[in-house]
Amino acid sequence: MNLGRLSATAGFAAIALALTACSSSTSTAPQAAADPEARVVVANFRAPISNWALESDDAYVLSIAGCLETLTKYDQTEKKVEPMLATSWKQTSDTVWEFELRKDVKFQDGTAFDAKAVAGSLNHVLEATAPARAVNPKTIKKVQALDADTVRVTTPAADPLLPYRMASVNAGVLSPAAYTETGIDPMNHCTGPFAPVSEKAGQSLTLDRNENYWDGEVKLAGGEIRYITDGATRSTQVQTGEADISMSIPATSLATLEADDKISVLKADSPRTSTLYLNNSRAPFDNVDLRKAATLALDLPAMAASVYEGAAQPATGPFAPSEPWANPDLAVPQVNIEEAKKLVEASGYKQDKPLEIIAITERAEFAGVGAIIQEQFKQIGLRANVVTKSYGAVEPDVLAGKYDMILSQRNRMIDIADPIGFLQADYSCEGGYNLSHYCNKDYDQLIDQALVEKDEAKRHDLYRQAGDILAKDAVNVWLVNEQAIDGVGSQIQGYVQDPLTRYVLTKDLAKTK
């Protein structure tokens, strides 16, 4: 079957209802003419920490910057996987897909974009020591160049969602010259509308217009991506005009920005849940009674109303209630201090020192959330201290299981536009992003079934069962379902908000004088 434009099925249509404002954009009213020599500044919540390795979250920075492109693209407005660097694709057997490439593309260094380069990029990611969440040897067995314009991708088992995986930023394609002995060099080695030309380490990435972009005219002369992990600072920068676009505005800054008539505040429901991750691999949270006690101690509706100022909804579990694979019978956990105290006592846990709650600085509201959790834990006899750190600084220890609790958040559709990526990477025994260090063989069996299930209704039921296991095991405390909130200056035209935070500097983005 020819899948050059893979239609989203009924389940993905339901995502459209859940993400009601996904295609929010700046006003369509008549505006001043765009300045072709204008440059924009984007305050991004994520900083590259892995030497631009495409298997890491650094790939998101390159995608946001309008540099990195992929074979396919998930269009959030149309709810479809669409062509990008590939023009069409077909499944020749259960485990083999073939992608036809565009013939009018060149890398920014002038070299040819061809199947050999694509295979080289994808195989580089597959060979990584720390595999990508959506593109790894468990999901892709082999990538080959059949001829100059055709790439064959072989999977270990049937994978009906492979075109979705090829839209993951981790499946991005760079020029062969980008792969050096010292790491990835993205400078002038992408195919996108903007070419990276310089970087201030730890601070920003500067880009110029790609004058030979395959998809037509690029309206901006260039831009700068600033790495600003502190949410309050991102909010301040768009208000002062230091940034034209600030991504992921914290709820604590929302009222201030909404009162500023020079700024458009864009909101979209997103598949993002703020979570208190519990380390299931060591005491005390290797005990399910302690994990259940943690959930019963917290007043989630009060937290959503106070810290999040009504810009988030209390969570019922690992999925938002509006998602088609969520269990409609799951309710927001109710506070029950007495029951929580009994569970702490039943666990036999004897606390000799305070536990540590890491509140990541990328989300300004987490400091307040941590303080609330600290106080509410006291009521059930658990002492905890809150420390604030950037996620990049703590990720190695968290992935290694060297922590107690961390306040973080995760967009379930960011790896691929289907929850299988999240469910596999975050909670399976061998998951590459299993921050909770959770392992349940029954859960893994469900995920293995879902990976090869072609029938959407059956696959969604498997997702629902997997989510029920996570909720029953109280793996984490899922706190609130968030909105994506961006602040945009009044001079910006053509900005389309992406709740999956992949695209910002696009060919159609413009700025007035």
Side-chain angles (χ1 to χ4, degrees), residues 327-338:
N327 185 339
D329 296 328
L330 286 179
V332 175
Q334 298 298 303
V335 178
N336 191 330
I337 298 301
E338 292 308 312

Side-chain angles (χ1 to χ4, degrees), residues 43-45 227-243 245-254 256-257 263 360-368 485 487:
N44 178 33
F45 62 93
Y227 318 143
I228 301 177
T229 57
D230 182 75
T233 302
R234 290 196 302 277
S235 301
T236 300
Q237 287 216 346
V238 73
Q239 195 166 21
T240 60
E242 295 173 80
I245 300 168
S246 283
M247 302 175 64
S248 296
I249 297 296
T252 49
S253 301
L254 188 55
T256 301
L257 291 191
I263 299 168
I360 64 169
T361 55
E362 287 84 345
R363 301 282 167 176
E365 60 270 19
F366 280 161
I485 306 174

Side-chain angles (χ1 to χ4, degrees), residues 40-61:
V40 300
V41 175
V42 176
N44 178 33
F45 62 93
R46 184 182 276 119
I49 59 173
S50 301
N51 201 20
W52 297 117
L54 295 191
E55 66 270 16
S56 74
D57 283 349
D58 290 8
Y60 287 98
V61 182

Side-chain angles (χ1 to χ4, degrees), residues 35-251:
D35 179 4
E37 298 306 315
R39 307 178 73 88
V40 300
V41 175
V42 176
N44 178 33
F45 62 93
R46 184 182 276 119
I49 59 173
S50 301
N51 201 20
W52 297 117
L54 295 191
E55 66 270 16
S56 74
D57 283 349
D58 290 8
Y60 287 98
V61 182
L62 292 178
S63 180
I64 286 166
C67 162
L68 189 67
E69 295 185 318
T70 49
L71 295 185
T72 66
K73 176 180 180 179
Y74 185 74
D75 187 292
Q76 196 70 44
T77 302
E78 299 294 328
K79 308 301 173 194
K80 294 177 180 178
V81 174
E82 297 185 332
M84 198 174 198
L85 292 176
T87 57
S88 65
W89 48 93
K90 60 183 178 181
Q91 188 173 14
T92 59
S93 73
D94 281 352
T95 59
V96 176
W97 294 76
E98 292 181 2
F99 294 79
E100 291 299 317
L101 306 183
R102 292 190 184 277
K103 296 180 173 61
D104 54 350
V105 180
K106 285 189 178 296
F107 290 107
Q108 293 159 354
D109 60 9
T111 58
F113 168 79
D114 57 19
K116 184 178 179 181
V118 172
S121 286
L122 293 177
N123 283 319
H124 192 275
V125 170
L126 293 177
E127 294 164 3
T129 303
R133 294 188 291 264
V135 181
N136 56 63
K138 292 182 180 179
T139 59
I140 296 177
K141 181 179 180 180
K142 183 168 54 177
V143 182
Q144 302 164 277
L146 292 188
D147 55 43
D149 302 317
T150 309
V151 173
R152 174 178 288 170
V153 179
T154 304
T155 58
D159 186 355
L161 296 174
L162 184 73
Y164 288 84
R165 295 187 187 280
M166 291 296 98
S168 165
V169 296
N170 300 126
V173 181
L174 295 174
S175 164
Y179 300 94
T180 73
E181 292 182 358
T182 56
I184 302 295
D185 174 14
M187 302 300 165
N188 286 297
H189 290 147
C190 299
T191 58
F194 294 93
V197 292
S198 65
E199 181 186 18
K200 293 181 180 177
Q203 299 182 51
S204 63
L205 180 69
T206 299
L207 303 110
D208 287 345
R209 173 194 289 133
N210 179 2
E211 299 287 357
N212 299 306
Y213 183 48
W214 62 268
D215 198 23
E217 177 189 4
V218 180
K219 294 183 178 179
L220 287 170
E224 179 185 356
I225 305 294
R226 291 182 182 167
Y227 318 143
I228 301 177
T229 57
D230 182 75
T233 302
R234 290 196 302 277
S235 301
T236 300
Q237 287 216 346
V238 73
Q239 195 166 21
T240 60
E242 295 173 80
D244 297 290
I245 300 168
S246 283
M247 302 175 64
S248 296
I249 297 296

